[in-house]
């Protein structure tokens, strides 16, 4: 029995989508494992974070806040703020300094 190039192409076409799907799924799982988020009440934020918010962002209202822990165990606060129709997200360390 001789396998023709057309047969090889059909076999590869049938196998390729499954390989791509499994690669994509494992990538998504890795991203989810790299950090975790825990909700924090705005009043429970550390004083330096509250100080930054009440200073530079006094016109803004905190809508939600999270303590984010990265896979290297470093932490920062993700703070969602709103002013009129404008919204923004700040990432602040425990000292109230902006981080990327």
């Amino acid at each position: 029995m001789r396998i023709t190039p057309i047969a090889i192409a059909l076999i590869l076409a049938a196998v390729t989508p499954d390989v791509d799907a499994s690669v994509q799924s494992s990538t998504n799982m890795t991203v989810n494992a790299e950090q975790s988020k825990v909700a924090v009440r705005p009043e429970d934020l550390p004083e330096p974070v509250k100080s930054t918010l009440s200073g530079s962002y006094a016109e803004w209202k905190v809508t939600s806040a999270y303590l984010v822990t990265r896979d290297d165990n470093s932490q920062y606060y993700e703070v969602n703020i709103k002013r009129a129709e404008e919204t923004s997200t700040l990432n602040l360390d425990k000292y109230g300094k902006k981080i990327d």
Side-chain angles (χ1 to χ4, degrees):
M1 177 175 177
R2 184 172 169 219
I3 300 177
T4 65
I6 294 173
I8 293 172
L10 289 173
I11 292 169
L12 289 175
V15 173
T16 303
D18 292 336
V19 172
D20 290 343
S22 66
V23 169
Q24 184 177 8
S25 294
S26 65
T27 302
N28 289 340
M29 289 173 43
T30 301
V31 170
N32 291 337
E34 289 182 4
Q35 63 183 22
S36 67
K37 288 168 75 170
V38 177
V40 177
R41 295 184 311 181
E43 59 269 19
D44 292 336
L45 289 167
E47 288 305 319
V49 173
K50 287 194 244 183
S51 178
T52 297
L53 293 170
S54 65
S56 303
Y57 302 95
E59 304 159 5
W60 296 76
K61 179 182 190 264
V62 175
T63 57
S64 61
Y66 301 92
L67 175 60
V68 180
T69 304
R70 295 181 179 148
D71 62 342
D72 64 358
N73 287 327
S74 63
Q75 295 181 319
Y76 65 92
Y77 292 91
E78 179 182 298
V79 182
N80 298 306
I81 54 177
K82 183 175 183 173
R83 175 178 63 184
E85 297 302 315
E86 188 178 0
T87 61
S88 186
T89 300
L90 299 172
N91 293 327
L92 304 170
D93 66 13
K94 66 183 178 181
Y95 304 109
K97 293 184 181 181
K98 282 181 80 171
I99 60 170
D100 294 328

